[in-house]
């Protein structure tokens, strides 16, 4: 599946910031601090929670349910259509269903392609569906998603579209291209679209997410780029360095993370290579390090704290692996851990070996059993509190 990228590269355990935690923290304060709305992502997560019931049963039950939603995903009624898409996304996010995707891959790809051409809400859903089927099936779906990739490239570079929509499409374009195709031509086209997007951001901008996602996505695809990708990346290094002095903290962090990846990527291809502006970069980083010890806004300190957290259960021994992990987490969110347990494709990229069979103790209990346990616990707490109130009254 996919090209022979160096996914098992041995690293030196160097520092790589945490995109996922940083983004979560920034989203919480987004509306009040930067003025750019991220309601599309927040609403998307909340809506998906409403269809969680589909995954409470066994895999056969889930597949039967999702098969019905495939039919409804092409319904003329927009409400029925979007509800079906959300069910499909939640199923493919929460579980590894390779056989289901293999059976329906052409239909799923067509559903995603049609959704990407409709309203903003359906664009988000269709883009996610396109990326998710590649995370399940790899480049087996290459021919089926080619039209969707073209449409995603168009949206990413369309300044008339909302930045949040463009950012999500950039994420899905990168992952779908990375996992779902081995075409140098399609990779080069995606790189061009993503580069056009992040280079259009001014260092004085306060809007960060489109820059963050498009830059990180561009960096991810560099590893699969054509033969001139390395040369282009070296030429673009001064542009990335320029963003280290941007007004927006998030833009500086995003540039620093990709710059760390770029140094690793270039050193792997050209050992001992030294960028001409190395001393200048060192001076900027030393200044930023000194500034971090001075008085800063509470929110800025919290962002930096989140970006420095490390992983405990997954060894990310290179900036390349960390970059891939962050972007996958951005797409899968709450389903990332489950996918890492079950998804053989992801486990291969993160050098985790074959999926581990779950023990009987890990099987999910039924909804009725869960409600019974919660009810008994609530009753016990009520009895304890009643006794405590009686004692206080007597005293």
């Amino acid at each position: 599946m996919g090209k022979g990228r160096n996914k098992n590269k041995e690293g030196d355990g160097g520092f790589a910031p945490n995109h996922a935690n940083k983004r979560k923290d920034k989203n919480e304060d987004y509306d009040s601090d930067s003025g750019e709305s991220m309601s599309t992502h927040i609403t998307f997560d909340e809506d998906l929670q409403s269809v969680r019931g589909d995954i409470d049963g066994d895999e056969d039950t889930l597949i039967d349910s999702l098969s019905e939603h495939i039919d409804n995903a092409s319904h003329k009624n927009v409400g029925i259509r979007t509800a079906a898409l959300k069910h499909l996304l939640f199923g493919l996010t929460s579980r590894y269903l390779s056989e289901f995707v293999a059976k329906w891959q052409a239909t799923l790809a067509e559903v995603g392609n049609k959704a990407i051409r409709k309203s903003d809400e359906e664009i988000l859903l269709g883009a996610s569906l396109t990326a998710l089927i590649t995370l399940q099936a790899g480049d087996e779906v290459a021919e089926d998603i080619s039209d969707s990739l073209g449409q995603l490239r168009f949206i990413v570079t369309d300044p008339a579209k909302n930045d949040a929509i463009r950012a999500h499409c950039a994420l899905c374009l990168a992952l779908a291209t990375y996992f779902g195709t081995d075409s140098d031509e399609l990779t080069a086209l995606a790189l061009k679209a993503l580069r056009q997007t992040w280079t259009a951001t001014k260092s004085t901008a306060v809007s960060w997410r489109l820059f963050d996602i498009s830059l990180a996505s561009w960096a991810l695809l560099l590893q699969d780029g054509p033969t001139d990708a390395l040369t282009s990346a070296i030429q673009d290094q001064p542009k990335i360095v320029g963003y280290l002095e941007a007004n927006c903290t998030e833009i500086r962090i995003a540039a620093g993370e990709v710059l760390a990846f770029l140094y690793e990527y270039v050193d792997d291809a050209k050992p001992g290579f030294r960028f001409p502006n190395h001393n200048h970069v060192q001076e900027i980083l030393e200044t930023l390090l000194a500034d971090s010890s001075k008085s800063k806004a509470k929110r800025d300190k919290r962002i930096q704290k989140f970006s420095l957290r490390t992983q405990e259960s997954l060894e990310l021994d290179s900036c390349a692996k960390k970059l891939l992990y962050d972007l996958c987490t951005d797409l899968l969110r709450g389903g990332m851990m489950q996918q890492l347990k079950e998804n053989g494709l992801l486990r291969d990229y993160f050098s985790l070996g074959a999926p581990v069979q779950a023990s009987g103790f890990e099987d999910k209990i039924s909804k009725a059993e869960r409600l019974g346990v919660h009810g008994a616990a609530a009753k016990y707490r009520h009895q304890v509190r009643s006794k405590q109130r009686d004692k206080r009254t007597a005293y």
Side-chain angles (χ1 to χ4, degrees), residues 15 17 22 24 42 54 61 94-95 97-98 111 125 153 155-156 165 180 191 202 228 290 331 344 353 371-372 378-379:
F15 162 73
K22 173 195 65 178
K24 176 181 178 182
I42 297 172
D54 270 5
T61 303
S94 305
R95 301 289 291 274
L97 304 170
S98 59
V111 167
L125 300 172
R153 292 194 299 268
I155 295 173
V156 167
I165 302 293
L191 279 168
K202 297 181 179 179
D228 62 347
L331 176 69
L371 292 175
K379 182 177 180 181

Side-chain angles (χ1 to χ4, degrees), residues 375-393:
K379 182 177 180 181
Y380 175 76
R381 287 196 301 270
H382 179 72
Q383 291 173 342
V384 171
R385 289 170 182 169
S386 296
K387 292 179 180 180
Q388 291 174 340
R389 292 191 189 100
D390 292 341
K391 289 180 180 180
R392 288 199 297 268
T393 302

Side-chain angles (χ1 to χ4, degrees), residues 124-174:
L124 286 173
L125 300 172
S128 295
L129 180 59
T130 300
L132 285 171
I133 62 177
T134 67
L135 262 70
Q136 301 260 352
D139 58 16
E140 296 295 325
V141 297
E143 293 184 6
D144 297 315
I145 64 169
S146 59
D147 288 344
S148 296
L149 294 180
Q151 190 62 21
L152 289 174
R153 292 194 299 268
F154 175 77
I155 295 173
V156 167
T157 56
D158 183 4
K161 279 291 183 185
N162 178 278
D163 279 1
I165 302 293
R166 294 174 66 193
H168 187 69
C169 286
L171 170 69
C172 295
L173 169 63

Side-chain angles (χ1 to χ4, degrees), residues 15-43:
F15 162 73
N18 188 331
H19 268 269
N21 285 334
K22 173 195 65 178
R23 287 169 186 154
K24 176 181 178 182
D25 183 70
K26 287 186 290 190
N27 286 351
E28 291 171 352
D29 294 315
Y30 211 76
D31 291 334
S32 60
D33 291 318
S34 71
E36 181 176 345
S37 172
M38 284 301 295
S39 60
T40 49
H41 279 74
I42 297 172
T43 304

